[in-house]
Amino acid sequence: MKIVALSCTQRRLPSLTDALLEAAITGVTREVGDAEIQRIRLIDHRIEMCEGEDTCLDPEVGRCTLNDDFERVIELAEGAQAMLLAMPVYAGNVPAVLKIFQERLKSFMNSTQRPFGNMTVGTIVHSRTMLTEPALASLFPWYLRLKNRNVASACVTQNNHQDLARTAAPDLCVAVGRQLGMTLNGSRSSDHHRAALPLVQSPPRPRCGDPVASFPGA
């Protein structure tokens, strides 16, 4: 099973984002024995900003016409069924490198199969102080548009800790990866392997105007 590990940091290696992402990878590979991890660091690819001309939406064009590494990143993710996404918060929202990538994916808006879509997702967001939750929330419209399903998230802040990697943050990220893996394993289990719960039907409720039963002492 192919799983994309998408790092959205804007720093070169080593980075805290990549360390937390590696912890999540450890978790998912613990649960999914046949996991094929495709690591993608957006900052390592030259992805230009969308120019907003919408020529990519023309059926006769059908693709983004900018000449950069965007299509290479799309090719790397081809065939993936799940994604681990890790990102820092720089200014209360998603980092610029991810926002640019999100806008470039617009070129597939009219496609039947949209890259980075129809995936089961686990998300990791970290920051120095706060605003991790609003940044996480800003991802969900993008996930919904791509028909992705986020099944686990971790938001961690550095605050007064000198090294977030020496706190419980990596353990939280391992848990995100494990939850993603268990969800993927569950989706692969056929229905006849699952225990069927008994069907419990409630007694019919009286309708307005029906005679009311009398009880002693009522």
Side-chain angles (χ1 to χ4, degrees):
M1 176 180 291
K2 186 172 180 178
I3 301 171
V4 169
L6 185 67
S7 171
C8 303
T9 182
Q10 291 174 194
R11 298 188 61 178
R12 304 299 177 182
L13 288 172
S15 78
L16 176 59
T17 302
D18 290 281
L20 297 178
L21 185 57
E22 287 298 324
I25 291 173
T26 299
V28 75
T29 54
R30 188 182 303 176
E31 300 296 332
V32 182
D34 62 342
E36 174 195 345
I37 306 299
Q38 176 62 65
R39 292 169 174 82
I40 300 175
R41 301 184 79 247
L42 290 178
I43 195 64
D44 291 342
H45 300 271
R46 186 174 62 88
I47 303 176
E48 303 291 339
M49 289 190 297
C50 174
E51 296 181 352
E53 295 183 355
D54 292 343
T55 54
C56 57
L57 301 181
D58 187 337
E60 296 184 1
V61 178
R63 56 178 294 276
C64 182
T65 56
L66 294 178
N67 185 20
D68 57 9
D69 298 335
F70 175 67
E71 289 193 5
R72 170 59 179 160
V73 174
I74 299 303
E75 292 173 358
L76 289 174
E78 186 176 355
Q81 297 173 263
M83 176 171 65
L84 284 166
L85 184 150
M87 72 175 194
V89 178
Y90 295 131
N93 209 309
V94 302
V97 67
L98 176 56
K99 187 66 172 67
I100 290 171
F101 185 66
Q102 289 174 333
E103 292 179 353
R104 289 290 298 278
L105 284 173
K106 181 186 67 173
S107 58
F108 293 93
M109 186 177 298
N110 295 328
S111 301
T112 304
Q113 297 293 330
R114 299 187 64 182
F116 288 85
N118 293 301
M119 289 182 173
T120 307
V121 182
T123 309
I124 298 163
V125 182
H126 71 92
S127 71
R128 292 185 181 275
T129 53
M130 59 170 74
L131 298 177
T132 52
E133 288 83 359
L136 174 65
S138 68
L139 284 172
F140 289 124
W142 182 54
Y143 285 166
L144 289 173
R145 191 163 60 248
L146 293 175
K147 298 183 180 179
N148 289 335
R149 184 166 65 105
N150 189 80
V151 296
S153 304
C155 292
V156 292
T157 54
Q158 187 169 344
N159 291 323
N160 296 325
H161 300 290
Q162 294 299 318
D163 185 2
L164 196 59
R166 296 174 61 87
T167 67
D171 294 333
L172 290 173
C173 296
V174 170
V176 169
R178 292 194 66 187
Q179 179 64 37
L180 176 63
M182 288 186 285
T183 303
L184 294 171
N185 285 335
S187 65
R188 291 199 287 188
S189 300
S190 56
D191 291 338
H192 65 271
H193 288 155
R194 301 178 184 175
L197 296 176
L199 179 62
V200 178
Q201 292 184 338
S202 302
R205 300 177 60 185
R207 295 181 300 175
C208 182
D210 288 348
V212 179
S214 59
F215 298 94

